[in-house]
């Protein structure tokens, strides 16, 4: 493989890895947001459909445990806070990853413009 083909392959690999990283982060955000929405639905059901004195069954892994309604709401609210933090952290990181991808693509575009201009100048002077 000649040097130009090798550089092109390296560039495409670098762009592909950066794009894959961006897509993976976006999917993580979607998954966490789905979980957050399910928690929100559960909180609303606990607040409006059950009294505070009732016990509810909560699934932990492969078993169900009865907890007081208030304790269950407290656990879900803590989970919501953790999910919010994780989503915000991923979104902040996503901005940097997208900027990095754009930078890689812009750098290649600038190099191509310079190379094309140099080749045109050689033909013109040539």
């Amino acid at each position: 493989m000649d040097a130009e083909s090798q550089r092109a392959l390296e560039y495409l690999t670098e762009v592909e890895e950066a794009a894959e990283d961006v897509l993976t982060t976006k999917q993580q955000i979607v998954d966490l947001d789905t979980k957050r929405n399910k928690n929100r639905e559960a909180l609303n059901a606990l607040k409006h459909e059950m009294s505070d004195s009732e016990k509810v069954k909560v699934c932990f892994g492969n078993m169900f445990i009865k907890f007081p309604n208030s304790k269950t709401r407290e656990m879900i609210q803590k989970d919501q806070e953790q999910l919010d933090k994780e989503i915000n952290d991923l979104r902040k990181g996503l901005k940097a990853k997208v900027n990095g991808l754009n930078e890689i693509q812009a750098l290649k575009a600038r190099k191509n413009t310079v190379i094309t201009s140099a080749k045109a100048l050689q033909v013109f002077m040539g």
Side-chain angles (χ1 to χ4, degrees), residues 1-10:
M1 190 181 306
D2 65 346
E4 191 172 321
S5 296
Q6 183 64 31
R7 282 194 307 268
L9 182 60
E10 289 171 2

Side-chain angles (χ1 to χ4, degrees), residues 3-118:
E4 191 172 321
S5 296
Q6 183 64 31
R7 282 194 307 268
L9 182 60
E10 289 171 2
Y11 165 73
L12 291 174
T13 302
E14 186 178 4
V15 168
E16 183 69 25
E17 288 173 355
E20 185 68 30
D21 197 24
V22 167
L23 291 174
T24 300
T25 301
K26 282 184 176 184
Q27 187 59 49
Q28 287 176 328
I29 291 171
V30 168
D31 293 342
L32 290 174
D33 196 45
T34 301
K35 185 174 180 182
R36 185 172 59 174
N37 286 336
K38 288 180 181 180
N39 281 353
R40 190 177 308 131
E41 290 174 10
L43 282 172
N44 280 334
L46 290 171
K47 286 178 187 174
H48 299 294
E49 296 175 15
M50 305 185 102
S51 68
D52 283 341
S53 61
E54 287 185 70
K55 287 191 173 191
V56 294
K57 293 179 183 175
V58 180
C59 181
F60 286 105
N62 60 356
M63 65 182 147
F64 286 90
I65 301 174
K66 279 190 174 184
F67 276 107
N69 189 343
S70 58
K71 179 70 175 172
T72 304
R73 277 197 316 237
E74 184 181 310
M75 288 186 323
I76 294 173
Q77 287 169 339
K78 285 182 182 178
D79 193 35
Q80 286 291 81
E81 291 169 7
Q82 181 64 30
L83 288 170
D84 287 339
K85 182 184 177 303
E86 287 180 41
I87 289 171
N88 287 335
D89 290 346
L90 285 171
R91 284 185 177 149
K92 288 176 188 174
L94 182 61
K95 283 183 180 181
K97 290 175 185 180
V98 169
N99 289 339
L101 177 59
N102 289 337
E103 201 173 286
I104 292 168
Q105 291 173 328
L107 181 63
K108 180 65 175 177
R110 283 193 299 263
K111 284 181 182 178
N112 282 343
T113 303
V114 170
I115 290 169
T116 305
S117 299

